[in-house]
Amino acid sequence: MPIYEGGDIEELRQAVGRRLSPHRLTILGPQRLPGRFRAFHEGSVGLYDLAYGAPVRLLARDLPGFYNVILPQAGAGTVVVNGNALPSSLSVAGPGDVVSMEWDHLAVNGALALSQETVTEVAAVRLGDVPQGPLRFRRHLLDGADPAVRSWLALVDAFRQFLLSPLAHRPGLGVRHFERLLVDTLLDVQAHSWSVEVPGVGTTMLPGTLRRATAYCEEHADEAVSVSDIAQAARVGVQALREGFRRHLDTTPLAYLRRVRLDHAHRELTAIAEGNATGSVTEVACRWGFTHLGRFSAEYRQAYGRLPSDTSKGRQRLSTNA
C-alpha cells in the first residue's frame, strides 16, 4: 500500500514520523528521484519500504514502543546506534536507543517494525516471566555472514511474499502466527538482555520458570520423572534448569523432587498414625518412589529427626494416650 510518493521530502518525513518514529531530517543534496514510503503490512509487526530520493541524514532519539530492523535493498548508507558506527546498515534498534542514519539518493531500505508489546509477550513465554525494564539487543549489527541470520532474512522475504498472496487476506491466524514467528526467531539469532544464556554470567532462570518447575514436581511426584521432563514443563533447557535450582533453591531438580516425595510420604505416615489412612512404611515408601528402604529411612531421619516407623507408631501412641 503506497503511503506517500512524490517530491516533497518534508511531507515524506512527516508520513514516516506518523507511522514509525518522529525524527530530525537534514537534506544533504538535491532530490534526484521521487521519494516513496510503502506499507506491505501493518500490525504487531509492520513491514515497510522507504526511499527519500535525495542524500539525507536522519536522527531518531528514541523509538517509541517498537524495535526497528533496517533491511538495506539498494544504494549506500551508514547507521550509528548510541554513538557506535556499524560496519553495515543491516541492523536492529529499539526503545532507548538513539539512531542516526545517512543515505545516498539511491538508497532504498526495508523497515521491519516489531511492537514492543509483542516482543515482550514472546520473550516472556520463552523465559517464563517478564523481567524489569525493556528488552535491549546487545548487538545492533545483524551479521549477514551468519547462516542463522541469513535464514532469518529469508523468513522476512517469505513473509513479504506471503503478504502479497491471496492467503494473507483470508480470515484466520496465518498472519498473526507469521508475525510471532519473525519475533521468536529474531530472539534466537540476536543476543539480547533477556537471553536465557548470558555471556560471561552463566545461565539464568526467571521466577516464573522456577514456579512451573516446582509445580510440576509437586503434581507429578508419584510418577517416573526425569530432569528432562521437569525442564520441558518449565520451558527451559536442562542446563538452565539445573543452574536455576542451584542459584535460587541451593539444590538440584531431582533432589528437590526427592524432597517433595519425602514430604508426601511423611504426610501419609502421619495420616496413618492419626488413623486417617492405612498402610505400611514399605507401601508408602514404594508409592512415592523410594524402593531402597534403608536409604529411605536414612533420608527420612535426616529430614524429620526420626525413623519412618517412629512417625507412624509414635503418633499412634500419642493419639491412643490422649
Side-chain angles (χ1 to χ4, degrees):
M1 175 184 73
I3 298 174
Y4 176 83
E5 185 164 359
D8 190 330
I9 294 183
E10 174 57 22
E11 188 175 342
L12 174 55
R13 184 192 68 81
Q14 292 180 15
V16 174
R18 287 191 296 269
R19 276 321 207 278
L20 295 174
S21 171
H23 58 279
R24 181 187 301 169
L25 178 69
T26 303
I27 302 173
L28 304 177
Q31 186 168 18
R32 301 181 185 178
L33 298 169
R36 73 167 189 264
F37 184 36
R38 298 183 300 179
F40 288 86
H41 176 66
E42 293 185 295
S44 61
V45 172
L47 182 60
Y48 304 89
D49 275 353
L50 172 62
Y52 278 94
V56 293
R57 181 185 300 119
L58 298 85
L59 176 63
R61 294 197 176 277
D62 193 6
L63 301 182
F66 77 100
Y67 298 83
N68 187 41
V69 182
I70 298 173
L71 305 165
Q73 298 174 8
T78 59
V79 174
V80 178
V81 181
N82 302 329
N84 299 312
L86 304 182
S88 166
S89 55
L90 178 61
S91 58
V92 57
D97 292 324
V98 177
V99 183
S100 174
M101 297 168 278
E102 194 168 309
W103 310 110
D104 67 15
H105 71 284
L106 295 173
V108 179
N109 292 287
L112 189 71
L114 317 171
S115 78
Q116 185 174 1
E117 181 180 3
T118 298
V119 171
T120 299
E121 288 175 0
V122 171
V125 168
R126 292 160 64 95
L127 301 178
D129 211 341
V130 180
Q132 295 297 316
L135 181 146
R136 301 290 296 271
F137 284 100
R138 288 200 181 85
R139 291 191 310 114
H140 298 287
L141 176 70
L142 282 165
D143 184 3
D146 184 339
V149 172
R150 290 202 301 271
S151 296
W152 184 80
L153 293 173
L155 190 64
V156 175
D157 287 339
F159 182 52
R160 187 188 297 265
Q161 293 303 314
F162 173 76
L163 294 172
L164 296 174
S165 73
L167 187 59
H169 303 289
R170 293 186 179 181
L173 298 176
V175 172
R176 177 64 172 159
H177 287 315
F178 219 137
E179 289 176 338
R180 296 183 76 88
L181 177 62
L182 286 169
V183 174
D184 212 2
T185 48
L186 177 62
L187 296 180
D188 283 333
V189 302
Q190 199 73 358
H192 53 83
S193 57
W194 294 4
S195 295
V196 174
E197 295 293 334
V198 182
V201 176
T203 311
T204 63
M205 190 167 74
L206 299 174
T209 310
L210 191 63
R211 286 194 295 270
R212 283 197 297 271
T214 54
Y216 182 86
C217 289
E218 184 69 36
E219 294 165 7
H220 298 270
D222 60 340
E223 303 173 13
V225 173
S226 69
V227 68
S228 297
D229 294 327
I230 302 172
Q232 184 174 7
R235 298 201 289 272
V236 294
V238 170
Q239 181 183 356
L241 182 79
R242 287 175 173 152
E243 178 61 18
F245 269 82
R246 183 198 66 77
R247 179 173 300 176
H248 295 288
L249 299 177
D250 195 27
T251 188
T252 67
L254 292 183
Y256 180 89
L257 175 63
R258 198 167 182 84
R259 181 55 195 253
V260 169
R261 288 170 169 168
L262 204 62
D263 287 344
H264 279 289
H266 175 66
R267 287 195 289 270
E268 278 203 22
L269 291 171
T270 301
I272 291 171
E274 294 172 346
N276 297 322
T278 60
S280 66
V281 170
T282 300
E283 289 170 341
V284 171
C286 290
R287 180 155 45 248
W288 294 106
F290 298 98
T291 55
H292 192 293
L293 295 182
R295 190 175 301 141
F296 169 66
S297 294
E299 290 184 23
Y300 188 95
R301 184 170 187 173
Q302 182 179 8
Y304 301 105
R306 63 193 311 182
L307 293 171
S309 56
D310 292 337
T311 297
S312 54
K313 293 176 182 178
R315 293 287 181 86
Q316 258 184 343
R317 285 199 298 272
L318 288 173
S319 178
T320 302
N321 293 338

